[in-house]
Amino acid sequence: MNRISEVSFRAVSLTTTSRFAEASALYREVFGYLDPEYGLNPRLLGALASNGGSVVGILDESDRLVAFAYGFCGTDRRGFYHYSQSAVVAAGQQGRGLGRMLKHAQREVALSHGMSRMRWTYDPAQIRNAHFNLDVLGARGRWFAPDMYGPGTDRVVVEWDLTRDEPANPDSLTELVVPADPGELRRSFEKLLGKGLVAVSCRRLPDGNGAYYFGPADHA
């Protein structure tokens, strides 16, 4: 039996103009962006890297960039936090833990600048992403942003406490089986979050459907 050889990956902070250009190209490639309006300026990445932002990547054994993420400092009435704007993994490299490596690399950058919280958004209908964010990383879905990028682009805003790692116990939480109708999913999220609950877990059910689990915000 032939075995696929193990590939070694390493997480790094990107600091050179050539790496910024490589990251921008990977970003366009993964998302399939052809319109310059949706591109990512390498100079912006350089500015972020030099001013407290995160510009991190994963290199393979050939020193090729195969995953990339960037973020910046945000603030609200609760104080400062790191906002992870985007993360991409090259085609054919999914399922190798690179997404987790990216987030933990961003975590190290955020902690080095004195921040203990990180936020980002995801599509609530994407069960795999929800499970990764809530169960694997331990982030919490705290806010709902309807039509964030235009009609039909509802997003959940998650917050990750970088100082603790406490898995949720779905048995003691409120369950929401993911409805097929986006409008119903939106209404359900807004209702549960409006009660002061937060999304703490998302699991695939035996019948193939996904289910969210919500718990009290002050315990999440």
Side-chain angles (χ1 to χ4, degrees), residues 140-158:
R140 298 294 179 251
R142 293 187 176 273
W143 303 279
F144 195 84
D147 298 328
M148 184 170 180
Y149 300 111
T153 60
D154 289 352
R155 294 292 184 268
V156 172
V157 183
V158 299

Side-chain angles (χ1 to χ4, degrees), residues 64-124:
R64 182 173 62 97
L65 187 69
V66 294
F68 154 71
Y70 76 100
F72 46 85
C73 177
T75 185
D76 63 8
R77 59 182 177 80
R78 298 171 60 202
F80 293 99
Y81 58 88
H82 193 81
Y83 187 81
S84 177
Q85 173 63 30
S86 186
V88 297
V89 177
Q93 300 292 349
Q94 288 83 5
R96 296 188 172 188
L98 303 190
R100 187 171 187 174
M101 289 179 67
L102 284 174
K103 277 292 186 283
H104 280 278
Q106 286 188 299
R107 175 181 181 272
E108 293 305 312
V109 173
L111 289 172
S112 73
H113 290 290
M115 287 172 277
S116 60
R117 296 176 293 143
M118 187 188 301
R119 295 180 188 175
W120 63 93
T121 67
Y122 76 93
D123 181 346

Side-chain angles (χ1 to χ4, degrees), residues 153-174:
T153 60
D154 289 352
R155 294 292 184 268
V156 172
V157 183
V158 299
E159 185 172 75
W160 186 20
D161 185 339
L162 306 180
T163 65
R164 71 177 186 178
D165 182 15
E166 299 179 6
N169 177 13
D171 294 334
S172 62
L173 304 173
T174 300

